[in-house]
Amino acid sequence: MRLVIARCSVDYAGRLTAHLPSAPRLILVKADGSVSVHADDRAYKPLNWMSPPCSLKEGDGDVWTVENKGGEKLIITLEEVLHDSSHELGVDPGLIKDGVEAHLQELLADRIETLGEGYSLIRREYPTAIGPVDILCRDADGQTVAVEIKRRGEIDGVEQLTRYLELLNRDPHLAPVKGIFAAQEIKPQARVLATDRGIGCVVLDYDGLRGIEDDKLRLF
C-alpha cells in the first residue's frame, strides 16, 4: 500500500464531473489497483475514489491520472507532497464474522433454494485472492452466483461484493458471475448502488431461516 499526504486538487470525469479544490489530503494506492482520496473529517469514507480494475499514470508536473476500463478518470494534481511511503501488508486474513452473520451464512447455505427455485450450493467461504466469498452457488439456469451476507447492509458491503465479482468473472470456469447482497437490513444508499451495478438485494429474515416464523426470503 502506498500512502501519500499532499496538498492537491482532484477532478473526476465520467458519468458526471466533480471537483475538489486544493487542500491537504491523504491518497491511498492499494495493491488491488484502487485509488482513494481522503480528508481528515469523513471517518473511513473517501472524498473520491476509483475502484479496480484501473490504471495509474504519474505524468509530468505531478499530475496523476487514474482511469478505469469504462474510461472514467480521476485526475489528481499534486501541489506539495508532505509524505510518500509504501508498505507491504501481505494477504489479509479477512474479517471474522460475528455469531449472527456466521449463522446466517450457515442457514442460507443449508436452505439455498430459498434464493430461488433450482438454486444449488457450490460451497461456503469460496476462496479468492482478497478473501473468501460467503456463498458461491448456481441458479436454475446454471449461472454462478456470489452471495455476500451482512447483518446490516451498507455501501461498504456492496463495494466488497463488487471486488469479489471483478475477480470471479476473470475465471472462465465460473464466468459470468452475478451477485446477491443479502442482509437483515439494507440501507437505501446501498440498495441504489447495488442496483446500479446489477447486484440483487435480499432481505434476510433470521427467525424465518431458523424456522421460527415465515421461512421465505424477500427478494427485490
Side-chain angles (χ1 to χ4, degrees):
M1 178 183 291
R2 184 178 178 187
L3 297 88
V4 178
I5 299 175
R7 176 172 289 277
C8 63
S9 60
V10 184
D11 293 278
Y12 170 81
R15 288 171 291 181
L16 48 81
T17 58
H19 174 71
L20 293 172
S22 176
R25 298 186 175 95
L26 168 65
I27 304 168
L28 296 181
V29 183
K30 294 186 178 181
D32 63 3
S34 64
V35 178
S36 56
V37 181
H38 298 258
D40 202 21
D41 63 346
R42 305 296 176 90
Y44 60 90
K45 294 184 178 180
L47 295 166
N48 216 325
W49 69 95
M50 192 70 75
S51 299
C54 58
S55 61
L56 168 61
K57 295 181 181 179
E58 299 183 42
D60 297 332
D62 293 323
V63 176
W64 292 10
T65 301
V66 187
E67 184 173 0
N68 66 15
K69 62 182 181 181
E72 297 171 299
K73 293 182 180 180
L74 197 64
I75 300 169
I76 304 172
T77 302
L78 304 175
E79 300 166 12
E80 181 185 8
V81 177
L82 306 173
H83 176 86
D84 189 345
S85 64
S86 296
H87 307 270
E88 180 59 55
L89 302 185
V91 178
D92 192 88
L95 179 68
I96 298 175
K97 294 182 177 292
D98 66 22
V100 173
E101 284 189 12
H103 198 202
L104 280 170
Q105 182 191 119
E106 180 182 355
L107 289 168
L108 188 56
D110 287 342
R111 304 174 67 177
I112 197 66
E113 71 283 353
T114 53
L115 287 176
E117 186 178 352
Y119 270 70
S120 59
L121 179 69
I122 295 176
R123 68 168 289 177
R124 293 170 53 196
E125 299 288 334
Y126 187 88
T128 76
I130 58 173
V133 177
D134 286 338
I135 290 177
L136 199 69
C137 57
R138 296 192 189 279
D139 65 14
D141 297 323
Q143 183 174 356
T144 310
V145 183
V147 184
E148 179 63 25
I149 299 172
K150 301 291 185 186
R151 275 202 303 174
R152 177 176 295 178
E154 302 191 43
I155 285 176
D156 283 356
V158 178
E159 294 284 6
Q160 182 181 359
L161 179 54
T162 299
R163 294 192 292 271
Y164 287 146
L165 291 172
E166 290 279 1
L167 283 177
L168 294 170
N169 273 300
R170 297 176 192 174
D171 186 339
H173 299 293
L174 298 175
V177 184
K178 64 182 180 180
I180 291 179
F181 187 51
Q184 289 179 280
E185 174 192 1
I186 299 178
K187 296 294 185 179
Q189 300 92 332
R191 186 183 296 280
V192 170
L193 181 61
T195 301
D196 181 66
R197 296 183 176 180
I199 294 171
C201 291
V202 172
V203 176
L204 298 173
D205 182 345
Y206 183 51
D207 288 337
L209 281 172
R210 294 164 63 197
I212 295 176
E213 296 177 356
D214 182 72
D215 64 349
K216 295 180 180 178
L217 297 176
R218 290 172 285 155
L219 178 59
F220 299 89

